[in-house]
Amino acid sequence: MEQTFITLNNGAKIPQFGMGVFMVPDGEETKKACLDALKMGYRHIDTAHAYQNERSVGEAVCESGID
């Protein structure tokens, strides 16, 4: 499957398809879900400080080995 991208106003490109973690509780399950998504090829995870789960998302990104 070929990934499509959206160009933002500043010229940066982001993958059009991503994983959202709104209302997903912080913790090991969130970290595992993000790690699994990254292994499957996801490169866009929508998170925010207001979701209160960015620590788990960040841990998954760090452990994934992806730049």
Side-chain angles (χ1 to χ4, degrees):
M1 179 172 82
E2 188 171 322
Q3 177 66 269
T4 55
F5 293 84
I6 295 173
T7 303
L8 303 178
N9 291 338
N10 66 357
K13 292 185 178 191
I14 62 170
Q16 185 173 14
F17 186 75
M19 175 184 173
V21 293
F22 177 61
M23 295 185 71
V24 179
D26 194 35
E28 195 60 35
E29 291 180 22
T30 299
K31 182 174 147 184
K32 183 180 179 332
C34 290
L35 269 171
D36 290 346
L38 291 166
K39 286 177 187 172
M40 291 186 335
Y42 282 72
R43 294 299 181 266
H44 176 173
I45 300 176
D46 174 29
T47 189
H49 178 71
Y51 300 171
Q52 298 183 7
N53 59 11
E54 72 275 14
R55 182 176 306 271
S56 298
V57 174
E59 288 173 358
V61 172
C62 286
E63 286 183 26
S64 74
I66 298 169
D67 290 340

